[in-house]
Amino acid sequence: MREIDTELIISKVADLCIDANLELSEEMQSCIAGAEESEDSPLAKEILGQLKENMNIAKEDRIPICQDTGMAVFFVELGQEVYITGGSLTDAINEGVRKGYTEGYLRKSVVSDPLIRENTKDNTPAIIHYDIVPGDELKITITPKGFGSENMSKLVMLKPADGVEGVKQVVIDAAKNAGPNACPPFVIGVGIGGDFELVAKLAKKALTREPGSHNPKEHIAQLEKELLDEINKLGIGPAGLGGKTTALAVNIETYATHIAGLPVGVNMCCHVDRHKTVII
C-alpha cells in the first residue's frame, strides 16, 4: 500500500488550478493556429489571430486566458493500492482549489446556494468525479468550466428508434442554439448512453480529450468527424461573426445503456477548453 499525504495533494491541485487557467495545452494552441491558417473569411481569420495573441499574452504575463476562471471540475482516478494520509481526499482537493484560486488571483465564481447566491469567496466547493482504478497512483485532471458555454449545454433522453440521426440532430441543434453565446469556435463534448446523470458526466469528460484525438470505436470516431463537418457548415464562425470555423473539435464518449433509452448529453465549451492533469 502506497501512502500519499494530503499536503502534497493540496499543493498539486493548487498548481493545477493556476496552470489550467493561464495556459492552454499545446494541442489546443496548435488547433487554433491551424484554424487561423485555413480560415477563408478575413474577419474570422482576424478574430482567430486575436485569440492566439490573447493566449500568448496570458502565457507570457501569467494572467488568466479568460476572466471567467470557471467552476473547478475534477476527474480523479484513485489507485486501489493508495492510502491517503493526513485527512480526506475531497477536503484536500477543495483546499487546493481554495489555495490556487486565492494565491493565483483567479476570479471566484461559486455561490454556496443556488437560490440565496452568496459567494463562497474561494471558488469552493469543487465538483469531483471519482473512479477507483488498479495501481498505486493518483491521477487528478482539472477542467475549469466557465458558464457562458456551460449554460448552452443540453441533455436529451432520446428513444432508441431515433438512432444516430437523432443523436446528430441533438448535437447540431445545440451548436445552433449556442451561436455566439458560447464564445465560438467551440469544443463540443458529447456523451451517448448510460443514464440521465452519467451521460452528462460523459459529455464533460469528453472535453478533457485533446482536439484531433478520436474515440477508439471506429463508428464513433466517424460520427465525431461527421458532426464537426456539419457544425462547421453552419457558418456561425469565430465570435459568431461568420466563417467556417464554428467548432474546433467534437469529442464523443459512450457507455452501455438500457434497451429502452438513448441518452445524449452535449456539453458546450468555448475555444478556451482548459484542462490539466497531474499524476502523483
Side-chain angles (χ1 to χ4, degrees), residues 57-95:
I57 292 171
K59 180 179 179 180
E60 292 171 5
D61 293 353
R62 302 293 292 170
I63 56 177
I65 304 165
C66 176
Q67 78 278 7
D68 184 351
T69 51
M71 191 166 191
V73 181
F74 291 89
F75 290 92
V76 178
E77 295 181 11
L78 176 63
Q80 59 190 13
E81 297 173 30
V82 171
Y83 179 68
I84 305 298
T85 62
S88 86
L89 177 54
T90 297
D91 287 347
I93 291 173
N94 276 310
E95 183 58 34

PDB file of all heavy atoms in Angstrom, residues 57-95:
ATOM      1  N   ILE A  57      -0.273  36.220 -24.671  1.00  0.00           N
ATOM      2  CA  ILE A  57      -0.152  37.213 -23.596  1.00  0.00           C
ATOM      3  C   ILE A  57      -0.391  36.555 -22.240  1.00  0.00           C
ATOM      4  O   ILE A  57       0.344  36.788 -21.268  1.00  0.00           O
ATOM      5  CB  ILE A  57      -1.142  38.373 -23.814  1.00  0.00           C
ATOM      6  CG1 ILE A  57      -0.731  39.187 -25.053  1.00  0.00           C
ATOM      7  CG2 ILE A  57      -1.198  39.284 -22.584  1.00  0.00           C
ATOM      8  CD1 ILE A  57      -1.769  40.209 -25.479  1.00  0.00           C
ATOM      9  N   ALA A  58      -1.436  35.705 -22.166  1.00  0.00           N
ATOM     10  CA  ALA A  58      -1.748  35.019 -20.912  1.00  0.00           C
ATOM     11  C   ALA A  58      -0.576  34.149 -20.464  1.00  0.00           C
ATOM     12  O   ALA A  58      -0.219  34.133 -19.280  1.00  0.00           O
ATOM     13  CB  ALA A  58      -3.008  34.165 -21.086  1.00  0.00           C
ATOM     14  N   LYS A  59       0.017  33.447 -21.406  1.00  0.00           N
ATOM     15  CA  LYS A  59       1.134  32.557 -21.087  1.00  0.00           C
ATOM     16  C   LYS A  59       2.366  33.332 -20.630  1.00  0.00           C
ATOM     17  O   LYS A  59       2.997  32.990 -19.626  1.00  0.00           O
ATOM     18  CB  LYS A  59       1.466  31.712 -22.326  1.00  0.00           C
ATOM     19  CG  LYS A  59       2.611  30.747 -22.144  1.00  0.00           C
ATOM     20  CD  LYS A  59       2.837  29.954 -23.427  1.00  0.00           C
ATOM     21  CE  LYS A  59       4.004  28.999 -23.292  1.00  0.00           C
ATOM     22  NZ  LYS A  59       4.218  28.219 -24.550  1.00  0.00           N
ATOM     23  N   GLU A  60       2.683  34.398 -21.345  1.00  0.00           N
ATOM     24  CA  GLU A  60       3.902  35.161 -21.047  1.00  0.00           C
ATOM     25  C   GLU A  60       3.771  36.020 -19.792  1.00  0.00           C
ATOM     26  O   GLU A  60       4.716  36.139 -19.005  1.00  0.00           O
ATOM     27  CB  GLU A  60       4.265  36.034 -22.245  1.00  0.00           C
ATOM     28  CG  GLU A  60       4.713  35.234 -23.462  1.00  0.00           C
ATOM     29  CD  GLU A  60       4.853  36.080 -24.712  1.00  0.00           C
ATOM     30  OE1 GLU A  60       4.695  37.326 -24.594  1.00  0.00           O
ATOM     31  OE2 GLU A  60       5.105  35.527 -25.801  1.00  0.00           O
ATOM     32  N   ASP A  61       2.596  36.624 -19.599  1.00  0.00           N
ATOM     33  CA  ASP A  61       2.392  37.539 -18.472  1.00  0.00           C
ATOM     34  C   ASP A  61       1.795  36.852 -17.246  1.00  0.00           C
ATOM     35  O   ASP A  61       1.582  37.496 -16.219  1.00  0.00           O
ATOM     36  CB  ASP A  61       1.492  38.704 -18.890  1.00  0.00           C
ATOM     37  CG  ASP A  61       2.145  39.610 -19.918  1.00  0.00           C
ATOM     38  OD1 ASP A  61       3.344  39.399 -20.204  1.00  0.00           O
ATOM     39  OD2 ASP A  61       1.467  40.520 -20.435  1.00  0.00           O
ATOM     40  N   ARG A  62       1.488  35.536 -17.383  1.00  0.00           N
ATOM     41  CA  ARG A  62       0.920  34.754 -16.279  1.00  0.00           C
ATOM     42  C   ARG A  62      -0.371  35.381 -15.762  1.00  0.00           C
ATOM     43  O   ARG A  62      -0.538  35.644 -14.561  1.00  0.00           O
ATOM     44  CB  ARG A  62       1.934  34.592 -15.147  1.00  0.00           C
ATOM     45  CG  ARG A  62       3.237  33.919 -15.550  1.00  0.00           C
ATOM     46  CD  ARG A  62       3.044  32.477 -15.936  1.00  0.00           C
ATOM     47  NE  ARG A  62       2.664  31.634 -14.808  1.00  0.00           N
ATOM     48  CZ  ARG A  62       2.254  30.366 -14.942  1.00  0.00           C
ATOM     49  NH1 ARG A  62       2.139  29.831 -16.143  1.00  0.00           N
ATOM     50  NH2 ARG A  62       1.922  29.665 -13.881  1.00  0.00           N
ATOM     51  N   ILE A  63      -1.289  35.608 -16.683  1.00  0.00           N
ATOM     52  CA  ILE A  63      -2.625  36.094 -16.341  1.00  0.00           C
ATOM     53  C   ILE A  63      -3.661  35.172 -16.983  1.00  0.00           C
ATOM     54  O   ILE A  63      -3.358  34.482 -17.967  1.00  0.00           O
ATOM     55  CB  ILE A  63      -2.836  37.558 -16.809  1.00  0.00           C
ATOM     56  CG1 ILE A  63      -2.567  37.685 -18.310  1.00  0.00           C
ATOM     57  CG2 ILE A  63      -1.955  38.515 -16.021  1.00  0.00           C
ATOM     58  CD1 ILE A  63      -2.824  39.075 -18.860  1.00  0.00           C
ATOM     59  N   PRO A  64      -4.877  35.131 -16.456  1.00  0.00           N
ATOM     60  CA  PRO A  64      -5.878  34.203 -16.988  1.00  0.00           C
ATOM     61  C   PRO A  64      -6.198  34.441 -18.470  1.00  0.00           C
ATOM     62  O   PRO A  64      -6.260  35.583 -18.924  1.00  0.00           O
ATOM     63  CB  PRO A  64      -7.112  34.466 -16.110  1.00  0.00           C
ATOM     64  CG  PRO A  64      -6.552  35.002 -14.838  1.00  0.00           C
ATOM     65  CD  PRO A  64      -5.364  35.821 -15.242  1.00  0.00           C
ATOM     66  N   ILE A  65      -6.393  33.349 -19.192  1.00  0.00           N
ATOM     67  CA  ILE A  65      -6.784  33.427 -20.598  1.00  0.00           C
ATOM     68  C   ILE A  65      -8.150  34.092 -20.724  1.00  0.00           C
ATOM     69  O   ILE A  65      -8.403  34.847 -21.655  1.00  0.00           O
ATOM     70  CB  ILE A  65      -6.837  32.013 -21.214  1.00  0.00           C
ATOM     71  CG1 ILE A  65      -5.501  31.305 -21.033  1.00  0.00           C
ATOM     72  CG2 ILE A  65      -7.230  32.078 -22.693  1.00  0.00           C
ATOM     73  CD1 ILE A  65      -5.582  29.811 -21.274  1.00  0.00           C
ATOM     74  N   CYS A  66      -9.039  33.792 -19.772  1.00  0.00           N
ATOM     75  CA  CYS A  66     -10.397  34.339 -19.768  1.00  0.00           C
ATOM     76  C   CYS A  66     -10.718  34.833 -18.367  1.00  0.00           C
ATOM     77  O   CYS A  66     -10.267  34.246 -17.379  1.00  0.00           O
ATOM     78  CB  CYS A  66     -11.400  33.265 -20.201  1.00  0.00           C
ATOM     79  SG  CYS A  66     -13.140  33.781 -20.132  1.00  0.00           S
ATOM     80  N   GLN A  67     -11.520  35.897 -18.286  1.00  0.00           N
ATOM     81  CA  GLN A  67     -11.861  36.443 -16.968  1.00  0.00           C
ATOM     82  C   GLN A  67     -12.723  35.475 -16.164  1.00  0.00           C
ATOM     83  O   GLN A  67     -12.712  35.496 -14.931  1.00  0.00           O
ATOM     84  CB  GLN A  67     -12.576  37.799 -17.102  1.00  0.00           C
ATOM     85  CG  GLN A  67     -14.045  37.737 -17.490  1.00  0.00           C
ATOM     86  CD  GLN A  67     -14.239  37.582 -18.984  1.00  0.00           C
ATOM     87  OE1 GLN A  67     -13.288  37.402 -19.722  1.00  0.00           O
ATOM     88  NE2 GLN A  67     -15.472  37.678 -19.423  1.00  0.00           N
ATOM     89  N   ASP A  68     -13.495  34.595 -16.853  1.00  0.00           N
ATOM     90  CA  ASP A  68     -14.269  33.572 -16.157  1.00  0.00           C
ATOM     91  C   ASP A  68     -13.362  32.372 -15.943  1.00  0.00           C
ATOM     92  O   ASP A  68     -13.166  31.552 -16.838  1.00  0.00           O
ATOM     93  CB  ASP A  68     -15.508  33.185 -16.973  1.00  0.00           C
ATOM     94  CG  ASP A  68     -16.398  32.197 -16.231  1.00  0.00           C
ATOM     95  OD1 ASP A  68     -15.973  31.686 -15.171  1.00  0.00           O
ATOM     96  OD2 ASP A  68     -17.522  31.939 -16.706  1.00  0.00           O
ATOM     97  N   THR A  69     -12.791  32.291 -14.762  1.00  0.00           N
ATOM     98  CA  THR A  69     -11.864  31.201 -14.469  1.00  0.00           C
ATOM     99  C   THR A  69     -12.582  29.942 -13.985  1.00  0.00           C
ATOM    100  O   THR A  69     -11.950  28.999 -13.515  1.00  0.00           O
ATOM    101  CB  THR A  69     -10.804  31.650 -13.441  1.00  0.00           C
ATOM    102  OG1 THR A  69     -11.441  32.239 -12.315  1.00  0.00           O
ATOM    103  CG2 THR A  69      -9.865  32.669 -14.064  1.00  0.00           C
ATOM    104  N   GLY A  70     -13.898  29.959 -14.123  1.00  0.00           N
ATOM    105  CA  GLY A  70     -14.666  28.728 -14.060  1.00  0.00           C
ATOM    106  C   GLY A  70     -14.954  28.160 -12.689  1.00  0.00           C
ATOM    107  O   GLY A  70     -14.421  28.563 -11.664  1.00  0.00           O
ATOM    108  N   MET A  71     -15.833  27.166 -12.726  1.00  0.00           N
ATOM    109  CA  MET A  71     -16.066  26.308 -11.571  1.00  0.00           C
ATOM    110  C   MET A  71     -15.103  25.138 -11.725  1.00  0.00           C
ATOM    111  O   MET A  71     -14.959  24.569 -12.811  1.00  0.00           O
ATOM    112  CB  MET A  71     -17.514  25.820 -11.548  1.00  0.00           C
ATOM    113  CG  MET A  71     -17.925  25.145 -10.260  1.00  0.00           C
ATOM    114  SD  MET A  71     -19.730  24.953 -10.156  1.00  0.00           S
ATOM    115  CE  MET A  71     -19.850  24.457  -8.424  1.00  0.00           C
ATOM    116  N   ALA A  72     -14.422  24.782 -10.653  1.00  0.00           N
ATOM    117  CA  ALA A  72     -13.385  23.750 -10.722  1.00  0.00           C
ATOM    118  C   ALA A  72     -14.025  22.364 -10.751  1.00  0.00           C
ATOM    119  O   ALA A  72     -14.665  21.940  -9.790  1.00  0.00           O
ATOM    120  CB  ALA A  72     -12.432  23.869  -9.545  1.00  0.00           C
ATOM    121  N   VAL A  73     -13.847  21.671 -11.868  1.00  0.00           N
ATOM    122  CA  VAL A  73     -14.371  20.317 -12.036  1.00  0.00           C
ATOM    123  C   VAL A  73     -13.190  19.359 -12.134  1.00  0.00           C
ATOM    124  O   VAL A  73     -12.239  19.618 -12.879  1.00  0.00           O
ATOM    125  CB  VAL A  73     -15.244  20.211 -13.295  1.00  0.00           C
ATOM    126  CG1 VAL A  73     -15.799  18.794 -13.449  1.00  0.00           C
ATOM    127  CG2 VAL A  73     -16.381  21.224 -13.254  1.00  0.00           C
ATOM    128  N   PHE A  74     -13.250  18.264 -11.398  1.00  0.00           N
ATOM    129  CA  PHE A  74     -12.145  17.304 -11.365  1.00  0.00           C
ATOM    130  C   PHE A  74     -12.603  15.902 -11.741  1.00  0.00           C
ATOM    131  O   PHE A  74     -13.692  15.464 -11.358  1.00  0.00           O
ATOM    132  CB  PHE A  74     -11.533  17.231  -9.959  1.00  0.00           C
ATOM    133  CG  PHE A  74     -10.796  18.468  -9.541  1.00  0.00           C
ATOM    134  CD1 PHE A  74     -11.456  19.503  -8.901  1.00  0.00           C
ATOM    135  CD2 PHE A  74      -9.436  18.601  -9.790  1.00  0.00           C
ATOM    136  CE1 PHE A  74     -10.791  20.649  -8.517  1.00  0.00           C
ATOM    137  CE2 PHE A  74      -8.759  19.748  -9.402  1.00  0.00           C
ATOM    138  CZ  PHE A  74      -9.430  20.770  -8.767  1.00  0.00           C
ATOM    139  N   PHE A  75     -11.744  15.217 -12.483  1.00  0.00           N
ATOM    140  CA  PHE A  75     -11.865  13.781 -12.699  1.00  0.00           C
ATOM    141  C   PHE A  75     -10.672  13.135 -12.008  1.00  0.00           C
ATOM    142  O   PHE A  75      -9.515  13.408 -12.356  1.00  0.00           O
ATOM    143  CB  PHE A  75     -11.883  13.457 -14.192  1.00  0.00           C
ATOM    144  CG  PHE A  75     -13.134  13.909 -14.881  1.00  0.00           C
ATOM    145  CD1 PHE A  75     -13.194  15.161 -15.485  1.00  0.00           C
ATOM    146  CD2 PHE A  75     -14.260  13.104 -14.904  1.00  0.00           C
ATOM    147  CE1 PHE A  75     -14.353  15.590 -16.112  1.00  0.00           C
ATOM    148  CE2 PHE A  75     -15.432  13.522 -15.524  1.00  0.00           C
ATOM    149  CZ  PHE A  75     -15.481  14.766 -16.128  1.00  0.00           C
ATOM    150  N   VAL A  76     -10.972  12.313 -11.019  1.00  0.00           N
ATOM    151  CA  VAL A  76      -9.922  11.732 -10.173  1.00  0.00           C
ATOM    152  C   VAL A  76      -9.923  10.218 -10.318  1.00  0.00           C
ATOM    153  O   VAL A  76     -10.963   9.564 -10.153  1.00  0.00           O
ATOM    154  CB  VAL A  76     -10.144  12.115  -8.692  1.00  0.00           C
ATOM    155  CG1 VAL A  76      -9.079  11.466  -7.811  1.00  0.00           C
ATOM    156  CG2 VAL A  76     -10.135  13.623  -8.521  1.00  0.00           C
ATOM    157  N   GLU A  77      -8.754   9.662 -10.643  1.00  0.00           N
ATOM    158  CA  GLU A  77      -8.570   8.213 -10.682  1.00  0.00           C
ATOM    159  C   GLU A  77      -7.682   7.824  -9.501  1.00  0.00           C
ATOM    160  O   GLU A  77      -6.498   8.175  -9.458  1.00  0.00           O
ATOM    161  CB  GLU A  77      -7.932   7.778 -12.001  1.00  0.00           C
ATOM    162  CG  GLU A  77      -8.829   8.041 -13.209  1.00  0.00           C
ATOM    163  CD  GLU A  77      -8.202   7.585 -14.511  1.00  0.00           C
ATOM    164  OE1 GLU A  77      -7.158   6.873 -14.470  1.00  0.00           O
ATOM    165  OE2 GLU A  77      -8.742   7.939 -15.578  1.00  0.00           O
ATOM    166  N   LEU A  78      -8.274   7.129  -8.555  1.00  0.00           N
ATOM    167  CA  LEU A  78      -7.576   6.739  -7.331  1.00  0.00           C
ATOM    168  C   LEU A  78      -7.199   5.268  -7.408  1.00  0.00           C
ATOM    169  O   LEU A  78      -8.059   4.394  -7.492  1.00  0.00           O
ATOM    170  CB  LEU A  78      -8.479   6.980  -6.110  1.00  0.00           C
ATOM    171  CG  LEU A  78      -7.927   6.540  -4.754  1.00  0.00           C
ATOM    172  CD1 LEU A  78      -6.666   7.323  -4.398  1.00  0.00           C
ATOM    173  CD2 LEU A  78      -8.988   6.699  -3.672  1.00  0.00           C
ATOM    174  N   GLY A  79      -5.887   5.021  -7.415  1.00  0.00           N
ATOM    175  CA  GLY A  79      -5.418   3.634  -7.419  1.00  0.00           C
ATOM    176  C   GLY A  79      -5.852   2.919  -6.154  1.00  0.00           C
ATOM    177  O   GLY A  79      -5.780   3.474  -5.056  1.00  0.00           O
ATOM    178  N   GLN A  80      -6.294   1.685  -6.304  1.00  0.00           N
ATOM    179  CA  GLN A  80      -6.825   0.955  -5.143  1.00  0.00           C
ATOM    180  C   GLN A  80      -5.725   0.541  -4.160  1.00  0.00           C
ATOM    181  O   GLN A  80      -6.024   0.081  -3.049  1.00  0.00           O
ATOM    182  CB  GLN A  80      -7.613  -0.266  -5.609  1.00  0.00           C
ATOM    183  CG  GLN A  80      -6.822  -1.258  -6.428  1.00  0.00           C
ATOM    184  CD  GLN A  80      -7.727  -2.309  -7.069  1.00  0.00           C
ATOM    185  OE1 GLN A  80      -8.950  -2.156  -7.098  1.00  0.00           O
ATOM    186  NE2 GLN A  80      -7.137  -3.369  -7.584  1.00  0.00           N
ATOM    187  N   GLU A  81      -4.472   0.732  -4.543  1.00  0.00           N
ATOM    188  CA  GLU A  81      -3.358   0.463  -3.630  1.00  0.00           C
ATOM    189  C   GLU A  81      -2.810   1.748  -3.010  1.00  0.00           C
ATOM    190  O   GLU A  81      -1.705   1.774  -2.478  1.00  0.00           O
ATOM    191  CB  GLU A  81      -2.247  -0.270  -4.384  1.00  0.00           C
ATOM    192  CG  GLU A  81      -2.672  -1.634  -4.908  1.00  0.00           C
ATOM    193  CD  GLU A  81      -1.615  -2.269  -5.792  1.00  0.00           C
ATOM    194  OE1 GLU A  81      -0.421  -1.997  -5.563  1.00  0.00           O
ATOM    195  OE2 GLU A  81      -1.986  -3.012  -6.708  1.00  0.00           O
ATOM    196  N   VAL A  82      -3.582   2.830  -3.075  1.00  0.00           N
ATOM    197  CA  VAL A  82      -3.178   4.114  -2.500  1.00  0.00           C
ATOM    198  C   VAL A  82      -3.929   4.348  -1.200  1.00  0.00           C
ATOM    199  O   VAL A  82      -5.155   4.139  -1.130  1.00  0.00           O
ATOM    200  CB  VAL A  82      -3.450   5.279  -3.471  1.00  0.00           C
ATOM    201  CG1 VAL A  82      -3.231   6.622  -2.787  1.00  0.00           C
ATOM    202  CG2 VAL A  82      -2.577   5.162  -4.707  1.00  0.00           C
ATOM    203  N   TYR A  83      -3.216   4.792  -0.198  1.00  0.00           N
ATOM    204  CA  TYR A  83      -3.826   5.182   1.075  1.00  0.00           C
ATOM    205  C   TYR A  83      -3.549   6.666   1.300  1.00  0.00           C
ATOM    206  O   TYR A  83      -2.401   7.102   1.301  1.00  0.00           O
ATOM    207  CB  TYR A  83      -3.251   4.349   2.227  1.00  0.00           C
ATOM    208  CG  TYR A  83      -3.814   4.720   3.577  1.00  0.00           C
ATOM    209  CD1 TYR A  83      -5.143   4.474   3.880  1.00  0.00           C
ATOM    210  CD2 TYR A  83      -3.005   5.305   4.547  1.00  0.00           C
ATOM    211  CE1 TYR A  83      -5.664   4.821   5.116  1.00  0.00           C
ATOM    212  CE2 TYR A  83      -3.508   5.654   5.779  1.00  0.00           C
ATOM    213  CZ  TYR A  83      -4.854   5.408   6.060  1.00  0.00           C
ATOM    214  OH  TYR A  83      -5.362   5.758   7.290  1.00  0.00           O
ATOM    215  N   ILE A  84      -4.601   7.445   1.456  1.00  0.00           N
ATOM    216  CA  ILE A  84      -4.473   8.891   1.665  1.00  0.00           C
ATOM    217  C   ILE A  84      -4.273   9.171   3.155  1.00  0.00           C
ATOM    218  O   ILE A  84      -5.099   8.753   3.973  1.00  0.00           O
ATOM    219  CB  ILE A  84      -5.716   9.641   1.151  1.00  0.00           C
ATOM    220  CG1 ILE A  84      -5.992   9.300  -0.326  1.00  0.00           C
ATOM    221  CG2 ILE A  84      -5.543  11.150   1.332  1.00  0.00           C
ATOM    222  CD1 ILE A  84      -4.896   9.685  -1.284  1.00  0.00           C
ATOM    223  N   THR A  85      -3.206   9.879   3.479  1.00  0.00           N
ATOM    224  CA  THR A  85      -2.931  10.205   4.878  1.00  0.00           C
ATOM    225  C   THR A  85      -3.110  11.707   5.113  1.00  0.00           C
ATOM    226  O   THR A  85      -2.992  12.512   4.202  1.00  0.00           O
ATOM    227  CB  THR A  85      -1.494   9.807   5.269  1.00  0.00           C
ATOM    228  OG1 THR A  85      -0.557  10.549   4.479  1.00  0.00           O
ATOM    229  CG2 THR A  85      -1.264   8.325   5.050  1.00  0.00           C
ATOM    230  N   GLY A  86      -3.387  12.070   6.360  1.00  0.00           N
ATOM    231  CA  GLY A  86      -3.456  13.477   6.750  1.00  0.00           C
ATOM    232  C   GLY A  86      -4.824  14.112   6.563  1.00  0.00           C
ATOM    233  O   GLY A  86      -4.972  15.321   6.754  1.00  0.00           O
ATOM    234  N   GLY A  87      -5.822  13.338   6.215  1.00  0.00           N
ATOM    235  CA  GLY A  87      -7.166  13.887   6.040  1.00  0.00           C
ATOM    236  C   GLY A  87      -7.859  13.261   4.850  1.00  0.00           C
ATOM    237  O   GLY A  87      -7.366  12.294   4.251  1.00  0.00           O
ATOM    238  N   SER A  88      -9.005  13.813   4.478  1.00  0.00           N
ATOM    239  CA  SER A  88      -9.775  13.229   3.388  1.00  0.00           C
ATOM    240  C   SER A  88      -9.310  13.780   2.042  1.00  0.00           C
ATOM    241  O   SER A  88      -8.848  14.926   1.936  1.00  0.00           O
ATOM    242  CB  SER A  88     -11.272  13.505   3.573  1.00  0.00           C
ATOM    243  OG  SER A  88     -11.640  14.749   3.026  1.00  0.00           O
ATOM    244  N   LEU A  89      -9.455  12.961   1.011  1.00  0.00           N
ATOM    245  CA  LEU A  89      -9.061  13.359  -0.341  1.00  0.00           C
ATOM    246  C   LEU A  89      -9.933  14.511  -0.830  1.00  0.00           C
ATOM    247  O   LEU A  89      -9.426  15.471  -1.434  1.00  0.00           O
ATOM    248  CB  LEU A  89      -9.171  12.156  -1.284  1.00  0.00           C
ATOM    249  CG  LEU A  89      -8.861  12.400  -2.761  1.00  0.00           C
ATOM    250  CD1 LEU A  89      -7.492  13.035  -2.949  1.00  0.00           C
ATOM    251  CD2 LEU A  89      -8.954  11.084  -3.532  1.00  0.00           C
ATOM    252  N   THR A  90     -11.212  14.443  -0.575  1.00  0.00           N
ATOM    253  CA  THR A  90     -12.124  15.514  -1.007  1.00  0.00           C
ATOM    254  C   THR A  90     -11.758  16.839  -0.356  1.00  0.00           C
ATOM    255  O   THR A  90     -11.700  17.890  -1.026  1.00  0.00           O
ATOM    256  CB  THR A  90     -13.581  15.151  -0.684  1.00  0.00           C
ATOM    257  OG1 THR A  90     -13.946  13.980  -1.422  1.00  0.00           O
ATOM    258  CG2 THR A  90     -14.529  16.282  -1.056  1.00  0.00           C
ATOM    259  N   ASP A  91     -11.485  16.806   0.944  1.00  0.00           N
ATOM    260  CA  ASP A  91     -11.095  18.038   1.643  1.00  0.00           C
ATOM    261  C   ASP A  91      -9.780  18.590   1.088  1.00  0.00           C
ATOM    262  O   ASP A  91      -9.607  19.810   0.965  1.00  0.00           O
ATOM    263  CB  ASP A  91     -10.945  17.782   3.145  1.00  0.00           C
ATOM    264  CG  ASP A  91     -12.281  17.588   3.851  1.00  0.00           C
ATOM    265  OD1 ASP A  91     -13.328  17.899   3.227  1.00  0.00           O
ATOM    266  OD2 ASP A  91     -12.285  17.112   5.003  1.00  0.00           O
ATOM    267  N   ALA A  92      -8.858  17.691   0.739  1.00  0.00           N
ATOM    268  CA  ALA A  92      -7.566  18.131   0.208  1.00  0.00           C
ATOM    269  C   ALA A  92      -7.744  18.808  -1.145  1.00  0.00           C
ATOM    270  O   ALA A  92      -7.123  19.839  -1.424  1.00  0.00           O
ATOM    271  CB  ALA A  92      -6.623  16.940   0.088  1.00  0.00           C
ATOM    272  N   ILE A  93      -8.582  18.247  -1.989  1.00  0.00           N
ATOM    273  CA  ILE A  93      -8.817  18.853  -3.304  1.00  0.00           C
ATOM    274  C   ILE A  93      -9.458  20.228  -3.138  1.00  0.00           C
ATOM    275  O   ILE A  93      -9.048  21.198  -3.784  1.00  0.00           O
ATOM    276  CB  ILE A  93      -9.683  17.926  -4.173  1.00  0.00           C
ATOM    277  CG1 ILE A  93      -8.884  16.671  -4.553  1.00  0.00           C
ATOM    278  CG2 ILE A  93     -10.172  18.656  -5.429  1.00  0.00           C
ATOM    279  CD1 ILE A  93      -9.688  15.605  -5.259  1.00  0.00           C
ATOM    280  N   ASN A  94     -10.431  20.332  -2.269  1.00  0.00           N
ATOM    281  CA  ASN A  94     -11.063  21.632  -2.049  1.00  0.00           C
ATOM    282  C   ASN A  94     -10.098  22.646  -1.452  1.00  0.00           C
ATOM    283  O   ASN A  94     -10.144  23.835  -1.799  1.00  0.00           O
ATOM    284  CB  ASN A  94     -12.302  21.468  -1.158  1.00  0.00           C
ATOM    285  CG  ASN A  94     -13.522  21.065  -1.940  1.00  0.00           C
ATOM    286  OD1 ASN A  94     -13.864  21.674  -2.957  1.00  0.00           O
ATOM    287  ND2 ASN A  94     -14.215  20.031  -1.479  1.00  0.00           N
ATOM    288  N   GLU A  95      -9.222  22.200  -0.586  1.00  0.00           N
ATOM    289  CA  GLU A  95      -8.215  23.113  -0.031  1.00  0.00           C
ATOM    290  C   GLU A  95      -7.252  23.563  -1.121  1.00  0.00           C
ATOM    291  O   GLU A  95      -6.817  24.723  -1.148  1.00  0.00           O
ATOM    292  CB  GLU A  95      -7.459  22.437   1.109  1.00  0.00           C
ATOM    293  CG  GLU A  95      -6.443  23.329   1.811  1.00  0.00           C
ATOM    294  CD  GLU A  95      -7.044  24.601   2.395  1.00  0.00           C
ATOM    295  OE1 GLU A  95      -8.199  24.563   2.850  1.00  0.00           O
ATOM    296  OE2 GLU A  95      -6.344  25.649   2.377  1.00  0.00           O
TER     297      GLU A  95
END
